[in-house]
Amino acid sequence: MSHSSSWSSKIGFVLAAAGSAIGLGAIWKFPYTAGTNGGAIFVLLFVIFTIIVALPVQLAEFYIGRTGGKNAIDSFKTLRPGSLWPWVGRIGVAACFILLSFYSVVGGWVLNYVVHSFTGEIAPNVDFGALFEKTISNPTSSILYQGLFMLITIWVVKGGISDGIEKANRYLMPALFILFIVLAIRSLTLPGAMEGVSFLLKPDWSKIKSETMLTALGQAFFALSIGVSAMITYASYLGKDQDMFRSGNIIMWMNLLVSLLAGLVIFPAVFALGATPSQGPGLIFVVLPAVFMKIPSGNYLFAVFMMLVVFATLTSAFSMLETVIAATIRQDERKRSRHTWVIGIAIFIVGIPSALSFGVWSDVLIFNKSIFDLWDYIITAIIMPLCALSISIFTGWIQDRQSVLTNAGMGSTVPKTLLYLWLGALRYIAPIAIIVVFINSLQII
């Protein structure tokens, strides 16, 4: 193992894995999903599901990656040679490829908005709904910015683990937290902001529906980026002396904190300015700029917020690309640069139809969904739950119980009881929860 193919420090892994988990899921998807699913009741369910379902599965991915010590496919081969289990890794790697192809489209919009902020297109009295429509439906700029986003991602990942991904996350993640706290304080001091806080934090029990529960569970998976082998890949660069339970716990709380901060930046401002929280995916592109324009030096603050979203989007993109690269270079770091370029460009090309599905190809529908929405549905509603289910069964039932406890507990100071609780959650709670969500998601089609 050369030094560039492992984490140089404990905090390096935590920041990178948190960066993987904290992406558009926390900043873009969480606020609008909470907004359209009854606010606080959704938040409460999301926190519960994150702790009892998503965290155990994330830790199982850490166990597989660290014990296998290789990429997502080969780690399964090491732990279960000659079985079909490596297919879980293969599907996860393929999912990362597709996920990044449409994720980079949204990353492109975010980059475009940073540019909008500096060119004066984000200004008071602008119709932000029209600006957003124009931004996502323009084929040239959509593809251009998607390409730029992929270029940055390729550039960092080709630098390797400690020199590329870890270095980038070391600066991006702390910046994200500091700026978020500043923006949340600003948002909370607006008149009428408390209505937004109670929407986010005071549960209205009448809003509890099976659909809300499903969406919250889906969001919990999405939030910790489980089920796509990214965490297996990152954990494969971990030493046996690292406490994976403590790391997993920190990553989960960082992610919950950012989700809540995003809610505290967005909802108080939305309520204070009389907008509706249930605006869907356009929330940060349409509602937020309007909100910022009512604040002194709002266009600069908005530019800062969009830079934050860029950071968060990129740190997730790094993990998706790394998952695919690790599976193709198979520990041979000499191949890294070339593979990263070739695969990165391939992902960009596959993403072009998604970039066009809000403009020139908006009438191309498959199963009543645009190309972008179809990929999103396949990955988040089908592949993520199935892979998460496989990982919980593999770790909870297929692997030898004692060896799982021993390997997972290495370098860890957690009490034995917690280890048993974790395994219990993996064996019983996680699979049942995942199956329920999965069956329901199939009925929504």
Side-chain angles (χ1 to χ4, degrees):
M1 290 284 257
S2 72
H3 77 101
S4 78
S5 62
S6 59
W7 304 109
S8 67
S9 63
K10 286 184 180 172
I11 191 74
F13 165 69
V14 168
L15 288 176
S20 169
I22 297 167
L24 287 172
I27 298 176
W28 174 58
K29 210 168 179 179
F30 176 80
Y32 85 72
T33 313
T36 47
N37 284 281
I41 192 74
F42 172 83
V43 175
L44 182 68
L45 290 167
F46 167 67
V47 172
I48 293 169
F49 286 141
T50 301
I51 295 169
I52 64 170
V53 183
L55 180 64
V57 179
Q58 183 193 44
L59 291 168
E61 291 201 17
F62 286 176
Y63 153 77
I64 294 167
R66 187 176 75 168
T67 313
K70 298 191 176 89
N71 65 69
I73 302 167
D74 291 339
S75 283
F76 278 106
K77 284 185 181 165
T78 305
L79 295 174
R80 274 276 167 233
S83 72
L84 289 174
W85 286 101
W87 275 99
V88 178
R90 288 191 187 105
I91 293 167
V93 170
C96 275
F97 185 99
I98 293 166
L99 187 55
L100 187 50
S101 80
F102 67 83
Y103 193 85
S104 57
V105 174
V106 186
W109 300 344
V110 178
L111 281 174
N112 198 341
Y113 263 68
V114 173
V115 175
H116 284 339
S117 308
F118 289 111
T119 55
E121 280 181 88
I122 304 280
N125 308 324
V126 167
D127 177 349
F128 291 110
L131 179 67
F132 182 57
E133 284 299 315
K134 196 182 89 177
T135 304
I136 65 173
S137 62
N138 180 332
T140 320
S141 71
S142 287
I143 293 173
L144 196 75
Y145 282 103
Q146 178 211 356
L148 179 61
F149 182 85
M150 279 308 301
L151 204 62
I152 300 169
T153 307
I154 291 167
W155 192 255
V156 170
V157 173
K158 101 184 162 47
I161 288 294
S162 60
D163 295 338
I165 296 174
E166 187 175 338
K167 254 189 196 147
N169 277 297
R170 194 166 280 249
Y171 296 106
L172 296 179
M173 291 313 292
L176 184 79
F177 274 95
I178 293 162
L179 291 170
F180 242 135
I181 290 167
V182 172
L183 287 174
I185 291 168
R186 183 64 198 101
S187 195
L188 289 169
T189 50
L190 293 167
M194 286 309 126
E195 209 182 323
V197 177
S198 70
F199 175 77
L200 186 68
L201 300 177
K202 195 171 158 209
D204 169 0
W205 299 102
S206 69
K207 298 264 173 70
I208 194 160
K209 298 189 192 71
S210 61
E211 206 176 314
T212 313
M213 296 178 78
L214 296 176
T215 316
L217 187 48
Q219 179 67 21
F221 285 154
F222 196 73
L224 287 186
S225 66
I226 53 177
V228 288
S229 303
M231 292 300 171
I232 297 180
T233 307
Y234 270 7
S236 70
Y237 303 113
L238 266 185
K240 298 274 188 270
D241 54 339
Q242 268 194 263
D243 186 337
M244 61 172 234
F245 282 89
R246 175 170 292 172
S247 300
N249 202 18
I250 296 171
I251 292 159
M252 177 191 76
W253 288 112
M254 280 171 79
N255 190 42
L256 288 174
L257 181 63
V258 166
S259 293
L260 281 173
L261 279 174
L264 286 174
V265 169
I266 292 169
F267 290 123
V270 165
F271 276 93
L273 299 163
T276 51
S278 56
Q279 293 246 330
L283 189 69
I284 65 170
F285 297 105
V286 180
V287 181
L288 272 197
V291 166
F292 276 104
M293 288 311 106
K294 298 202 167 76
I295 302 173
S297 37
N299 42 354
Y300 298 112
L301 283 175
F302 183 70
V304 168
F305 178 77
M306 276 304 173
M307 288 299 289
L308 279 186
V309 183
V310 170
F311 295 168
T313 317
L314 281 169
T315 52
S316 299
F318 300 158
S319 70
M320 293 174 209
L321 185 54
E322 176 59 34
T323 302
V324 186
I325 301 305
T328 62
I329 63 174
R330 306 184 70 167
Q331 268 101 349
D332 184 352
E333 288 291 323
R334 290 166 309 185
K335 295 181 183 165
R336 176 176 284 276
S337 187
R338 197 186 69 218
H339 278 238
T340 309
W341 278 109
V342 172
I343 289 167
I345 291 167
I347 290 174
F348 165 68
I349 293 167
V350 170
I352 290 175
S354 295
L356 297 177
S357 63
F358 297 91
V360 283
W361 287 10
S362 57
D363 49 359
V364 178
L365 297 179
I366 305 164
F367 300 120
N368 229 354
K369 293 181 192 301
S370 69
I371 296 168
F372 181 98
D373 291 335
L374 182 71
W375 280 135
D376 185 21
Y377 181 81
I378 290 171
I379 301 294
T380 50
I382 300 174
I383 292 183
M384 278 179 163
L386 285 183
C387 286
L389 179 64
S390 309
I391 284 159
S392 54
I393 291 170
F394 178 78
T395 311
W397 295 100
I398 306 295
Q399 288 296 87
D400 172 61
R401 185 161 168 242
Q402 208 39 57
S403 97
V404 169
L405 292 168
T406 310
N407 278 306
M410 268 185 199
S412 176
T413 51
V414 291
K416 278 276 189 291
T417 345
L418 261 182
L419 280 171
Y420 288 117
L421 274 175
W422 165 64
L423 205 56
L426 265 188
R427 292 183 122 181
Y428 304 104
I429 302 172
I432 292 168
I434 296 167
I435 290 167
V436 169
V437 166
F438 184 66
I439 291 171
N440 267 298
S441 74
L442 296 180
Q443 291 168 0
I444 296 168
I445 300 183

